[in-house]
Amino acid sequence: MAERPFSVLRDFLQSEAAGGIILMIAAALALVVANSPLSGAYFSALQAKGFGLSVEHWVNDGLMAVFFLLVGLEIKREVVHGQLSTWSRRVLPGLGALGGMAAPALVYLALNAQSPATLRGWAIPTATDIAFALGVLALLGPRVPASLKIFLTALAIIDDLGAVLIIALFYTADLSLPALGAAAAALGALVGLNRLGIGKLWPYLLLGAGLWGAMLQSGIHATIAGVALALTIPMRPAGGDRHSPLHRLEHALAKWVAYGIVPIFGFANAGVSFTGLQPSAALGSLPLGVALGLFLGKQIGVFGAAWTAIRLGFAERPQGASMAQLYGIAILCGIGFTMSLFIGALAFGGHPESSDAVKIGVLAGSGLSAILGSIVLLRCRGLSS
């Protein structure tokens, strides 16, 4: 009997829902703290500086580089050997992801067309939070066919790749040529290690740290270094190892990211004080554009693209799933928490009022998507055959 609490905790941490639930708790805790007597200490701690960067920057530029490293490893694995390894597997989630990025951006732009100051946030509602969405899906249990979980995972991975490209192309500051040169040299050395078949991880990680430092000074967001490093990690086992360096690194990082880095990011970025907040502020073009982009744009874009592809014969409907269930998954794609907050910080990091408006929009849009998506999936059934 004495061992039972430990086994329950272990079972929870090994479940699909765990990462998403912990992220939800971290976000809720941030909101509580930001609206409590501890709010002053909370916001001051985020701005405290150490080694030249604030705590907030260390979280967003440092810890999130590790998150992007894991994202890059997952993308590479899925493209080479996984759910995205063949054209037939890529078509439906690929088209769904494209529609799910385009439609939210258009919704946001339509609502902010008369506000040049907020147009920079067009990419905020384009991303799906894979941990949050899969956490909600896992809570629904066997009601949802496994094929839809695969579809959502593949779509979110492609979505993450799109978000990485958007950050690199549209959220880049003034470039420093010397720092870019140093980053290129580090990346070239990483490619060289791969070509030489080096199977030890420490040389890659050491050069990866140098790449991150160069990126931090270059004007390209430092987190892109994580993705670049991931793409150079070999997928071939070496030196008698059973598993490839990529598999070993991904396995080592997965729980640290899910149970540490992402919740810390959520706690550091979801806190918004409602003190003195006017109701009209929540209905401004910025928060409304983010919320409706996630809630309406995502479901319209994902389901519209998927439905069209299936009807035209470009792709097959996920096995055992009804169109109503596919629609429910499209709604869940509007959960854009982690990546949306991250892009919002890049777009409006120096403007506290705009940053708070982004957080309100992300929380509202993601919350509505989680609730309605769950209701739809609970009420509809899959195919009998």
Side-chain angles (χ1 to χ4, degrees), residues 81-100:
H81 291 308
Q83 297 166 13
L84 302 174
S85 59
T86 63
W87 175 250
S88 60
R89 292 180 176 181
R90 296 171 191 155
V91 173
L92 192 63
L95 292 175
L98 289 175

Side-chain angles (χ1 to χ4, degrees), residues 228-288:
L229 170 60
L231 298 181
T232 67
I233 304 295
M235 285 197 66
R236 303 176 304 276
D241 290 330
R242 291 181 57 192
H243 301 294
S244 69
L246 185 143
H247 179 273
R248 287 187 280 117
L249 182 57
E250 185 179 8
H251 181 74
L253 291 178
K255 289 187 177 180
W256 286 102
V257 170
Y259 306 140
I261 290 174
V262 170
I264 289 172
F265 172 83
F267 181 74
N269 286 271
V272 55
S273 175
F274 298 119
T275 304
L277 183 68
Q278 299 298 320
S280 58
L283 298 176
S285 62
L286 175 51
L288 203 58

Side-chain angles (χ1 to χ4, degrees), residues 26-41:
L29 185 60
L31 285 172
V32 170
V33 171
N35 291 278
S36 75
L38 297 174
S39 62

Side-chain angles (χ1 to χ4, degrees), residues 11-266:
D11 289 345
F12 168 72
L13 292 177
Q14 291 174 348
S15 72
E16 291 179 320
I21 292 173
I22 293 173
L23 178 56
M24 296 176 207
I25 293 172
L29 185 60
L31 285 172
V32 170
V33 171
N35 291 278
S36 75
L38 297 174
S39 62
Y42 170 78
F43 290 111
S44 296
L46 290 176
Q47 299 308 314
K49 291 202 171 183
F51 300 100
L53 297 175
S54 67
V55 170
E56 185 176 23
H57 275 100
W58 275 115
V59 171
N60 292 352
D61 291 15
L63 289 182
M64 286 302 283
V66 181
F67 167 81
F68 275 86
L69 170 58
L70 182 61
V71 167
L73 294 172
E74 290 175 343
I75 290 171
K76 181 173 180 177
R77 173 174 51 78
E78 294 298 337
V79 169
V80 176
H81 291 308
Q83 297 166 13
L84 302 174
S85 59
T86 63
W87 175 250
S88 60
R89 292 180 176 181
R90 296 171 191 155
V91 173
L92 192 63
L95 292 175
L98 289 175
M101 287 186 279
L106 291 173
V107 170
Y108 181 93
L109 289 171
L111 290 169
N112 288 269
Q114 305 302 317
S115 177
T118 60
L119 285 176
R120 182 171 169 77
W122 64 270
I124 296 170
T126 63
T128 295
D129 190 302
I130 186 170
F132 215 138
L134 288 177
V136 172
L137 204 57
L139 291 175
L140 299 177
R143 297 178 183 87
V144 182
S147 62
L148 284 180
K149 296 178 182 179
I150 294 172
F151 169 76
L152 178 60
T153 301
L155 185 147
I157 289 171
I158 297 171
D159 206 310
D160 282 345
L161 178 59
V164 169
L165 293 174
I166 286 171
I167 292 167
L169 294 174
F170 298 101
Y171 294 97
T172 295
D174 294 333
L175 297 176
S176 165
L177 293 181
L180 280 176
L187 186 58
L190 285 164
V191 172
L193 290 177
N194 183 295
R195 293 291 179 87
L196 290 171
I198 304 299
K200 299 293 185 182
L201 281 171
W202 69 263
Y204 293 94
L205 298 179
L206 187 62
L207 282 169
L211 176 62
W212 177 83
M215 285 284 199
L216 186 66
Q217 303 298 323
S218 71
I220 297 175
H221 201 269
T223 52
I224 301 299
V227 179
L229 170 60
L231 298 181
T232 67
I233 304 295
M235 285 197 66
R236 303 176 304 276
D241 290 330
R242 291 181 57 192
H243 301 294
S244 69
L246 185 143
H247 179 273
R248 287 187 280 117
L249 182 57
E250 185 179 8
H251 181 74
L253 291 178
K255 289 187 177 180
W256 286 102
V257 170
Y259 306 140
I261 290 174
V262 170
I264 289 172
F265 172 83

